[in-house]
Amino acid sequence: MFKGPAPDLQRSHTTSEYACPSLSTLPPDVLIQIQTFLDPDDIISLRKTSKVLCTITKLRIVWINTLHRVCLMHGINLSTFYPLENISQIELEHAAFSPFRFIKYAEDIIPSEGDSKSVVTRILEPRLPPVFSTDENVPFSCDTVLLIPGGRFLFTDTIQHGVPLWDLGIHPGIPMRLSPLAVLPTTMGSFVRFTSPTPDGHGVYVCIEERVNLNMNTRVSVYEIYPSSPDVAFRLTHSLKVKGTLSNAYIYRNTLACSHQNNLITVWDFVQNKAISWEYNAVVRPNGVILFTETLLFVEFGKFSVWDVPSSLYLPVSDDMEAVFIRLLPRSEIHTPSPAESLRVSPPSQWLSAGQSRLPFFGLCSAMPDEQGEELDELNASMRCYTFESVPSLPDSPKSQVFDPQQVGVVNSFPIWTMSENFLRHIRFCGKSLTVAWQAGDDVNIGLMKMPQGDPDSIATPATRRLFNGEEGTLRDFDFCPAAGRLVVTMATGDIRIMDFLTPPTPVSVQCFQHSSKVTVHAP
């Protein structure tokens, strides 16, 4: 007796969509999960393939996930876009595309010679009372600007007005707040050493260095602040005293490493307030201290000394006291390819540690010999790019993670003006490229280069563009965030200019700002 087709054949005959499976036939939650691994332009490509995928790619959760991934890849502080309920769908998509848009803008629109034009330029003229003076008319004078990656939040380091935190808005279509979110009172002789992200990616650590006595000892204090929290305030973690002045300092997550007077290295967990110091043997002043997990790289002339510093070695310390002194020897020494050429080594930006597998990395800058190999080129240098390579655990510390530096590429024709102690604080990931900005006189320039891919002999040459052309003697400091396409400069006149090079997601309405802020809009 005929019983009909086999069940599998019958199902394929009656349910035609299973006969030719495709991406659009997957459940929505699976499609959402797949898109968490895609770049924004890939999601837009999916949007054009079918009606189902078009609907899925427009879901808000898709772009929240995409923006989170972009932030991790580019070291962007997550507080930039919080609270998320205040961000519209179009702003989510705009923010996710911004790093990729800036690279295209810089390559195609900014002229290689001549002035570039920002879409919107706003001028902030702070009018704040001084923190330790009775004279209310003390003019606002800003020495340093520190733009948190993402471009929204700005710290200004001043002489008499403390360290204010400003909210500039996530794009130029949003008016910036004309009063600071919070102000950290500081004393004469103190300054912001650097900023870095909290381990959760939503907060900011602010490292303050201060001279404390006639012996020129230094107090290092680390504050944390969460710019998008309902109660924005600077909170002191702990303070530590070190001998002399800090020649190098670096934060990895919640641990600070530094070198200082008397040939000492100090490593300090400023959250648990545990620290150790030990003596190193070096003839010349070291160029840098770089910490990654439990490995410390001590950068000397032409070589790296590799130290294993497990957290189990840290000892409790009281506030404003010195770290406990121990004896510690390096695990190994690694010589650079051309030790005679080495000029300066700087650690990577603290913000780069958010980029997971691609990071951290750092550059070894060395002067380039001329064609005869005899004299040094006065205008150019090279930057050797490194990453950290995991090595087998030590027999006596099987649970510890140890690493060695590994060269992954070389950038040639690097401008010599970048040879400052902290030049790499301006290096950023942008799309699939790297950007580094530097000050040359009263100009701000930017170099664009391809990401090193792992070949130690691969050579890249940056394309140079000028972002800002200032008048002589007017530019004090700058900071730049390519992820937002935003440049901030502080001028000798006391005002702060915020220059945006990317058009906002909605048309900018020119409105009358209060007397302490001005805005200039240029055609895109």
Side-chain angles (χ1 to χ4, degrees):
M1 184 176 64
F2 179 71
K3 297 183 180 179
D8 288 346
L9 295 176
Q10 186 176 19
R11 183 164 54 250
S12 63
H13 175 75
T14 58
T15 314
S16 59
E17 65 266 25
Y18 288 100
C20 299
S22 65
L23 191 63
S24 59
T25 63
L26 295 174
D29 56 339
V30 174
L31 293 173
I32 292 171
Q33 184 64 26
I34 289 174
Q35 291 176 88
T36 61
F37 300 97
L38 301 181
D39 288 336
D41 53 349
D42 295 326
I43 296 176
I44 296 300
S45 297
L46 280 181
R47 181 174 292 179
K48 302 174 183 178
T49 59
S50 72
K51 184 178 295 186
V52 172
L53 288 173
C54 180
T55 301
I56 295 295
T57 59
K58 292 182 178 180
L59 293 177
R60 183 175 176 84
I61 185 61
V62 167
W63 289 99
I64 289 176
N65 292 338
T66 302
L67 181 58
H68 188 269
R69 180 172 181 268
V70 168
C71 287
L72 290 178
M73 290 175 59
H74 295 83
I76 297 172
N77 190 244
L78 295 177
S79 67
T80 302
F81 306 105
Y82 278 72
L84 286 172
E85 54 266 25
N86 294 344
I87 309 296
S88 68
Q89 177 78 8
I90 191 172
E91 287 174 325
L92 284 172
E93 295 191 24
H94 175 271
F97 271 104
S98 289
F100 307 91
R101 291 176 61 218
F102 178 78
I103 283 294
K104 183 173 179 59
Y105 168 83
E107 292 177 342
D108 299 343
I109 298 179
I110 299 181
S112 56
E113 295 182 2
D115 298 337
S116 58
K117 292 290 186 181
S118 61
V119 175
V120 178
T121 296
R122 296 172 289 175
I123 299 178
L124 180 64
E125 297 175 334
R127 297 185 178 180
L128 302 175
V131 296
F132 55 86
S133 173
T134 57
D135 185 0
E136 295 291 328
N137 295 319
V138 175
F140 185 88
S141 179
C142 177
D143 288 334
T144 306
V145 289
L146 299 113
L147 191 61
I148 301 306
R152 176 180 176 182
F153 298 109
L154 173 73
F155 292 96
T156 53
D157 193 5
T158 72
I159 297 175
Q160 292 188 322
H161 292 82
V163 181
L165 170 64
W166 307 87
D167 185 351
L168 307 180
I170 62 173
H171 58 74
I174 298 177
M176 59 185 173
R177 292 174 57 114
L178 302 182
S179 58
L181 297 173
V183 178
L184 174 64
T186 52
T187 61
M188 292 289 289
S190 65
F191 63 95
V192 178
R193 183 77 186 204
F194 49 71
T195 62
S196 67
T198 55
D200 61 11
H202 288 270
V204 181
Y205 288 135
V206 182
C207 179
I208 303 292
E209 184 176 332
E210 178 186 3
R211 304 287 173 81
V212 292
N213 54 35
L214 296 178
N215 294 326
M216 302 300 288
N217 288 337
T218 301
R219 175 186 294 114
V220 182
S221 302
V222 178
Y223 294 82
E224 69 173 7
I225 187 169
Y226 284 80
S228 293
S229 66
D231 179 22
V232 185
F234 289 91
R235 297 176 178 85
L236 176 65
T237 59
H238 290 285
S239 297
L240 183 75
K241 188 171 71 173
V242 298
K243 290 184 180 297
T245 59
L246 273 65
S247 56
N248 302 279
Y250 187 74
I251 283 181
Y252 176 77
R253 299 182 69 84
N254 59 351
T255 304
L256 183 147
C258 64
S259 62
H260 50 100
Q261 189 173 310
N262 297 338
N263 284 14
L264 291 177
I265 301 174
T266 295
V267 177
W268 173 43
D269 183 329
F270 49 81
V271 173
Q272 297 188 25
N273 207 21
K274 295 182 177 182
I276 52 172
S277 290
W278 67 91
E279 188 177 9
Y280 63 87
N281 183 19
V283 178
V284 297
R285 177 183 173 183
N287 287 344
V289 174
I290 304 164
L291 186 67
F292 181 58
T293 63
E294 296 184 337
T295 297
L296 183 139
L297 294 187
F298 188 64
V299 184
E300 302 176 64
F301 187 83
K303 70 176 182 180
F304 304 113
S305 297
V306 183
W307 306 73
D308 296 316
V309 194
S311 57
S312 58
L313 292 179
Y314 300 174
L315 298 172
V317 61
S318 300
D319 280 356
D320 283 338
M321 298 297 292
E322 295 179 14
V324 179
F325 182 84
I326 68 170
R327 296 193 179 277
L328 195 63
L329 296 175
R331 166 165 51 91
S332 62
E333 292 183 352
I334 300 174
H335 291 270
T336 57
S338 301
E341 291 181 358
S342 60
L343 180 64
R344 177 175 296 281
V345 179
S346 291
S349 164
Q350 279 81 4
W351 293 95
L352 295 182
S353 61
Q356 299 178 342
S357 61
R358 295 190 300 176
L359 305 167
F361 82 99
F362 55 95
L364 164 64
C365 287
S366 60
M368 293 176 61
D370 62 9
E371 294 180 357
Q372 288 74 34
E374 296 177 355
E375 297 180 358
L376 299 179
D377 189 332
E378 295 182 356
L379 298 178
N380 291 314
S382 66
M383 182 177 77
R384 294 190 181 93
C385 299
Y386 292 81
T387 186
F388 284 91
E389 179 184 34
S390 178
V391 298
S393 301
L394 301 178
D396 54 345
S397 302
K399 294 184 179 181
S400 65
Q401 291 182 294
V402 294
F403 299 84
D404 282 339
Q406 179 185 34
Q407 185 171 316
V408 293
V410 178
V411 179
N412 274 341
S413 301
F414 221 72
I416 198 70
W417 293 288
T418 62
M419 301 297 103
S420 61
E421 184 175 352
N422 64 347
F423 80 96
L424 281 183
R425 81 176 173 98
H426 293 295
I427 205 164
R428 294 284 186 267
F429 283 116
C430 197
K432 297 180 180 179
S433 300
L434 295 173
T435 67
V436 61
W438 67 90
Q439 181 177 342
D442 288 286
D443 295 346
V444 176
N445 297 328
I446 185 172
L448 311 172
M449 66 207 82
K450 294 299 182 182
M451 182 88 67
Q453 298 299 315
D455 181 0
D457 299 320
S458 63
I459 297 176
T461 300
T464 301
R465 300 289 188 270
R466 184 164 66 186
L467 290 178
F468 177 77
N469 181 17
E471 299 177 358
E472 184 176 356
T474 59
L475 179 62
R476 282 189 173 176
D477 192 31
F478 80 96
D479 208 350
F480 176 69
C481 177
R486 176 170 289 171
L487 172 68
V488 176
V489 297
T490 177
M491 314 300 291
T493 54
D495 61 300
I496 299 169
R497 300 184 189 180
I498 298 98
M499 306 170 65
D500 286 281
F501 295 89
L502 299 179
T503 55
T506 53
V508 178
S509 59
V510 182
Q511 53 187 289
C512 294
F513 286 75
Q514 296 180 17
H515 61 272
S516 59
S517 175
K518 306 171 186 176
V519 63
T520 305
V521 181
H522 299 282

